[in-house]
Amino acid sequence: MLENWVVTPTCLPLIVRRCHTCASERFQASGKFRVNAHHKLIDAWLLVLCAACGETAKLTLLERANVRSIRPDLLDRLHDNDPGLTAELLQDPLVRRRSRIALDWAGAWRLDTGGSDHLDREVIDVSVRFAARIPVRPVRLIAEGCGLSRAEVERLLTEGKLVSAVRLSGKLSDDFTFTLKR
C-alpha cells in the first residue's frame, strides 16, 4: 500500500540577505508591497524587515514596467498587500535571482505522514509530495517520518534496504517516492 506524505510550509521562510545597518543576514517578509507609478511606467517592491534591527529593505519585483503589460489581477493583489502573493513571489526563482537572495526554510515547514500505522510494517512504499519548493534532505524526511535516526536511515541506504529512483543524498524540492524494507 502506498503511503502519501506531504511537506507543507507552516510560515514564510526567512530571507538570506545582508542588512546594511546591522550586518545581520536574515530578513522576514512583511507581507507589504510598495508600488510607485511614473506616468505609464510602474515599479513594485516587496518590503522585508531585518530580523535583528527591524530595518526595512526592498526586493525589486517590477522595474520601469509598462502598466499595460502588467496583469490587472496582479496589480490589484500588489495594492491589496495579498499575503498569498508574498509566498508566490518568494518562490519565484527570477525574483530571488534579481534580488540576490536565498531562502532559509529552517523551522518553516512540517511533514504530514497521515499517522503512524505504517511504522510496524516490513515494507513501506511512500510517495513524498512538496506543497512548495522547500529544499529538504530526503534522509531527514525519511528519518522523521519513520521514527528513525538519520544514521539509521543512512545505514539502510548503504545496505540497499532503502531504494528510490532519485538520489537520496543532498537536498530535494521535487516530489519523489521510495521503498523501505526492514
Side-chain angles (χ1 to χ4, degrees), residues 54-156:
E55 182 71 20
T56 302
K58 299 185 290 189
L59 303 181
T60 302
L61 304 174
L62 300 171
E63 193 169 32
R64 301 285 187 219
N66 191 315
V67 174
R68 291 184 184 198
S69 69
I70 310 300
R71 294 186 334 264
D73 65 315
L74 176 61
L75 276 176
D76 290 341
R77 291 175 77 188
L78 287 168
H79 286 297
D80 294 339
N81 291 320
D82 184 353
L85 182 60
T86 302
E88 288 174 31
L89 291 172
L90 286 176
Q91 290 287 315
D92 187 353
L94 189 68
V95 170
R96 291 198 316 256
R97 191 176 320 114
R98 179 185 297 142
S99 299
R100 293 187 202 106
I101 61 168
L103 300 179
D104 179 4
W105 283 97
W109 60 272
R110 75 171 183 270
L111 176 65
D112 296 326
T113 61
S116 60
D117 60 334
H118 63 278
L119 295 177
D120 56 346
R121 285 193 244 145
E122 288 294 316
V123 178
I124 304 170
D125 288 320
V126 179
S127 170
V128 180
R129 189 177 61 80
F130 288 83
R133 293 191 55 81
I134 304 170
V136 183
R137 295 185 186 283
V139 170
R140 179 178 179 186
L141 291 177
I142 295 166
E144 186 176 320
C146 293
L148 303 170
S149 68
R150 288 190 208 169
E152 180 72 12
V153 173
E154 293 284 350
R155 186 184 61 75
L156 291 169

